[in-house]
Amino acid sequence: MKKKNNLGKLTDNSWRFVNAIEGDMITGKSHNKPSVEKLAKTFGITNQNIIKELTELAIVRQARYISQDIRHDLQYKYWKIVELYKIQVNLSHR
């Protein structure tokens, strides 16, 4: 069964937020839950579930980019994805 997400069709501001998170990942800027929520708010995004889904989308896009980069060998890609995993912010909420 396919997992249903909360995203639907993404707005321009949603894509801007995803791009901002990706840019921060590329530059190594770390985030925590409050900083991600604050960044999302600058794009008019306040729903915690949407913020979580968009942040996960940014992580998946970066992992996909790394894995498909033909300029690097498998070991390099592996360690880049490990680094990505290490800087991943925990956005779970109860």
Side-chain angles (χ1 to χ4, degrees):
M1 182 183 301
K2 195 173 188 181
K3 180 186 171 198
K4 184 173 173 132
N5 65 42
N6 296 320
L7 294 176
K9 187 173 180 179
L10 297 183
T11 65
D12 287 345
N13 278 348
S14 295
W15 280 116
R16 287 183 187 106
F17 172 72
V18 169
N19 289 333
I21 291 290
E22 286 185 66
D24 288 347
M25 283 186 239
I26 291 167
T27 62
K29 180 178 180 184
S30 62
H31 280 284
N32 54 32
K33 186 176 178 183
S35 70
V36 168
E37 290 174 348
K38 183 177 179 180
L39 178 62
K41 194 172 184 179
T42 66
F43 294 99
I45 305 165
T46 57
N47 181 301
Q48 287 185 340
N49 288 324
I50 298 296
I51 294 167
K52 181 177 177 242
E53 295 279 348
L54 292 172
T55 303
E56 289 174 356
L57 175 61
I59 293 165
V60 168
R61 285 170 44 108
Q62 277 303 298
R64 183 176 296 144
Y65 174 79
I66 292 166
S67 69
Q68 294 176 348
D69 188 347
I70 61 172
R71 298 171 298 166
H72 300 290
D73 64 14
L74 190 58
Q75 184 176 9
Y76 175 86
K77 293 175 187 182
Y78 171 81
W79 288 113
K80 290 300 282 184
I81 292 174
V82 167
E83 287 176 29
L84 187 62
Y85 176 77
K86 285 180 181 178
I87 64 168
Q88 179 177 320
V89 63
N90 181 354
L91 292 173
S92 63
H93 49 274
R94 297 177 191 150

